[in-house]
Amino acid sequence: MRRIVLFIIAFILWLLLTWTLNWQHLLVGVIVAIFVALLFGNMFVEEPRKFFQIKRYFWFLVYIPLFLWECLKANFDVAYRVLHPKMPIKPGIVKVKTGLKSEVARTMLANSITMTPGTLSVDIDGQYLYIHWIYVRATEVEEASRMIVSKFEPLLARIFD
Amino acid sequence: MNETIGTIIIIIGVLFDAIGCIGLVKLPDVYNRLQAATKCVTLGTCGIMFGIFIYSGFTSLGIKALVAIPLIFLTSPTAAHALARGAHLFGVKLWKKSVVDRYREDKESNQND
């Protein structure tokens, strides 16, 4: 099951990368995708069933604009802090808590946190994430979690958990 | 028309990359520098890729550039994460005006147990 899903994804990626429908390309693509599926199938996501739940794709489409908006804000934030002559930074590492269960969801949460204004995930330890914050506004776990994690958590739970 | 829009987006991407590089030089410690490097350089590079896509449309080149965007978005934060964690485990200190370091506190309390 995992291998079939991985095969399909690898083959679609191959089609996009070559962007021709020549039968020679297709044949090589099928062979390469089979190899990839055999080699890396057991490292792939734990529950491939999730790929067939259409609802998740809908929430993913909701998530993309939010993510891009946060990413753009993050860029202007960095630009402001860098170009400001006094450099208004107050860095520190805080600890936040997440309720997400699956590994993929936590990875995506860490990535999203890295791309949002002023935060960079440093390490993850079970439920807790350590976040480097360029301008610390809350040092306690609950408040920092509310300020950093709560924007993405409900959406990511719908997509990946 | 597409070429003009594509060029403008590429220029914006390069500007973000440039800001990221200024941040890399100007900010005080590894972690702050990683912040600037990750955010600006990721969006800047993706901007360049998207500009190439607009410029050349649905051709082989454009689609390759488009496919590269999600890959960069997935790998770049992960690389920053690995670098920050490695630097901290190696013992690189935070900037002297840093406010709080929960990570070191937790590591030290684990060692004492």
Side-chain angles (χ1 to χ4, degrees), chain A residues 38-49:
Chain A
L38 287 178
L39 280 176
F40 299 107
N42 51 356
M43 291 180 205
F44 198 50
V45 290
E46 294 139 31
E47 289 175 70
R49 270 182 298 115

Side-chain angles (χ1 to χ4, degrees), chain A residues 10 29 34 58 67 70 85 87 89-90 92 107 117 124 146 156 159:
Chain A
I34 287 173
F58 169 73
F67 178 75
E70 289 294 327
M87 250 196 339
I89 61 173
K90 195 169 89 177
T107 313
I124 183 165
R146 195 170 48 76
L156 285 172
I159 300 168

Side-chain angles (χ1 to χ4, degrees), chain B residues 11-43:
Chain B
I11 290 171
I12 293 172
V14 172
L15 278 179
F16 274 127
D17 270 2
I19 290 171
C21 294
I22 296 171
L24 202 60
V25 176
K26 211 179 153 192
L27 288 170
D29 70 358
V30 177
Y31 310 98
N32 291 316
R33 284 177 176 173
L34 268 176
Q35 295 241 10
T38 326
K39 292 186 225 303
C40 286
V41 173
T42 308
L43 195 75

